[in-house]
């Protein structure tokens, strides 16, 4: 749950003793028994995350296998002699980039040019950078050049919204990683090392969301000689699942070439959203005076801040900016619980945006009421729904509710109509408000963020930065200056326990035994 791929043995023993309220000796004994079982746990010496002496890491078997496999697959791709895009080995770059500028209408900045060359000449590359630094334009340029040389380009992202955005940006079809690999129940993929994707270039956007297990499945499916480009903002929250794949791939001294875009382009400098995202990331408080797209409503009491956030999202933003409160405005809360948490705010937002009306059908289910027009999200993977399954995090709007048929219809972000029998409604939750963690990979015209002292333990810089970078045009913070200050000052409590960066450099546990 905390995103670690392993725990240091001493910490695991101490936590076990505390959690189970038993003797240290008994925990050590049971751990040894688990380590002797091939399907139990794996113990291995790895470098300490803090530096200094190596530590004994204890892994659950699937995570140990995935970490070894992912590192091996990345090195295999990097070192293969095959190349499915040989045209770029001896291309005249001056000519190619001049042609590109006529297609896109703009020249690349030097660091963007470096990223384009890297993606088209190296088998694995990473492109990272914050908002307004031209990641999207760089990706579009890479895809344009690859397609000009008749390369087969496959585009993917971890969420439906991010895939849709990638598709709009490049003019080519993009899918979610789950759909691309045709993941089946139990996690088996239709595409893997024995049946790789038919692609010369695989581009994956929002790669900060890739956890260890999904990244391993994805990289396995890349054919030898194909190029893999991972694009993402490494300063955002790490993946919900275990691992810190993008950070590990970018670790110093690693084998994967990378470009970090740092220059904020002129039109982006005029955006308060972009300016403040970079300020927060640098540990400076956001500017909240005199901007046309970034506001702070100060409210110190948590309950009042929650109510004010609802009023801002449902009434004030739509009135002033002519935005649709359902489609264009998203409330993002640090927590699910509490008076300013996503759970409670969903109820208030539903009352404000989609209230019950006489004669309008509605369905009560497990403490929730569903109505036509409700904004909802799928909360677990269902491989049997839709064309290729519906996955955790898919958002949509309720378009039909038939009491006679006992059926509700949702139109998803991917423009697919999905039917739910009334007894399946435990798969849906309202999505007027959601936690910042759940919003990863999505973008919205306007974002409202309640930041209150009741979420004190959650308030960290990368959380607030991730929330602000979800907005395309407008951010409204609602809450206390003290809570915002806490979020900006607090750097997250250290890295997750992973040894992927060590394995990518060719290290294996035996080095220390």
């Amino acid at each position: 749950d905390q995103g670690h791929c392993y725990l240091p043995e001493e910490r695991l023993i101490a936590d076990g003793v505390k959690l189970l309220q038993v003797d240290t000796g008994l925990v050590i004994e049971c751990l040894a028994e688990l380590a002797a079982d091939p399907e139990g746990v794996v113990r291995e010496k790895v470098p300490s995350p803090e530096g200094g002496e190596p530590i004994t890491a204890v892994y659950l078997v699937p995570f140990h296998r995935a970490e070894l496999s992912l590192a091996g697959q990345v090195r295999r791709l990097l070192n293969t002699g095959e190349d499915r895009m040989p045209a770029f080995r001896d291309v005249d770059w001056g000519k190619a980039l001049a042609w590109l500028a006529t297609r896109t209408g703009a020249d690349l900045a030097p660091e963007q040019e470096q990223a384009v060359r890297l993606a088209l000449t190296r088998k694995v590359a990473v492109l990272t950078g914050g908002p307004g630094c031209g990641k999207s334009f760089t990706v579009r340029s890479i895809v344009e050049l690859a397609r000009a040389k008749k390369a087969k380009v496959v585009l993917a992202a971890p969420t439906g919204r991010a895939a849709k955005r990638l598709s709009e940006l490049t003019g080519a079809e993009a899918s979610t990683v789950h759909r691309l690999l045709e993941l089946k129940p139990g996690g088996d993929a239709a595409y893997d090392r024995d049946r790789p994707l038919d692609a010369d270039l695989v581009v994956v956007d929002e790669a900060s969301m890739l956890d260890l297990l999904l990244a391993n499945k994805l990289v396995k499916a890349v054919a030898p000689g194909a190029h893999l480009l991972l694009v993402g903002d490494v300063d955002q929250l790490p993946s919900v699942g275990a691992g810190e794949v993008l950070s590990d791939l970018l670790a110093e001294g690693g084998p994967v070439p990378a470009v970090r875009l740092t220059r904020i382009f002129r039109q982006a400098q005029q955006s308060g959203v972009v300016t403040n995202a970079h300020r927060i990331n640098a540990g400076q408080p956001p500017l909240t005076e005199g901007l046309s797209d970034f506001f702070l409503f100060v409210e110190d009491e948590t309950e009042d801040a929650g109510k004010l956030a609802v009023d801002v999202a449902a009434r004030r933003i739509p009135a002033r900016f002519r935005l649709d409160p359902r489609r264009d405005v998203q409330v993002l809360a640090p927590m699910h619980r509490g008076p300013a948490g996503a759970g409670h705010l969903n109820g208030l937002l539903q009352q404000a945006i989609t209230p019950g009306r006489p004669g309008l059908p509605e369905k009560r289910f497990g403490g929730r009421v569903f109505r036509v027009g409700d904004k909802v999200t799928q909360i677990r993977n269902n491989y049997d729904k839709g064309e290729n399954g519906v996955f955790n995090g898919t958002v949509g709007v309720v378009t039909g509710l038939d009491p006679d048929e006992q059926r509700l219809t949702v139109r998803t972000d991917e423009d697919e109509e999905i039917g739910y029998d009334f007894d399946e409604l435990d798969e849906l939750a309202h999505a007027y408000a959601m936690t910042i963690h759940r919003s990863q990979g999505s973008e919205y015209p306007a974002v409202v963020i309640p930041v209150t002292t009741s979420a004190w333990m959650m308030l960290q810089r990368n959380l607030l930065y991730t929330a602000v970078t979800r907005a395309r045009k407008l951010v409204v913070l609602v809450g206390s200056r003290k809570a915002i200050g806490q979020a900006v000052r607090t750097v997250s409590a250290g890295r997750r326990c992973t040894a992927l960066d060590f394995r990518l450099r060719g290290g294996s546990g035996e080095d220390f035994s």
Side-chain angles (χ1 to χ4, degrees), residues 285-286 296-302 450-457 459-460 464 477-490:
L296 167 64
F297 287 80
V298 176
E299 183 52 78
D300 289 332
E301 290 300 319
T302 299
V451 188
T452 65
T453 49
S454 70
W456 198 256
M457 295 303 290
L459 296 177
Q460 292 177 352
L464 185 57
L477 301 178
V478 180
S480 73
R481 291 185 194 278
K482 187 180 174 189
I484 291 163
Q486 163 75 0
V488 170
R489 279 192 309 274
T490 309

Side-chain angles (χ1 to χ4, degrees), residues 439-474:
S439 75
Q440 281 175 270
S442 295
E443 255 189 9
Y444 314 92
V447 162
V448 179
I449 311 164
V451 188
T452 65
T453 49
S454 70
W456 198 256
M457 295 303 290
M458 296 293 292
L459 296 177
Q460 292 177 352
R461 187 180 300 168
N462 59 356
L463 188 84
L464 185 57
Y465 174 75
T466 300
V468 168
T469 55
R470 299 307 87 214
R472 273 202 300 275
K473 297 180 187 161
L474 174 69

Side-chain angles (χ1 to χ4, degrees), residues 235-250:
D235 295 316
Q236 286 181 24
L237 288 167
S239 55
V240 176
E244 230 170 358
V245 174
L246 195 63
S247 290
D248 285 337
L249 289 168
L250 285 163

Side-chain angles (χ1 to χ4, degrees), residues 15-27:
D15 285 359
V17 168
K18 203 157 104 189
L19 201 64
L20 301 170
Q21 309 261 300
V22 294
D23 256 6
T24 307
L26 185 57
V27 172

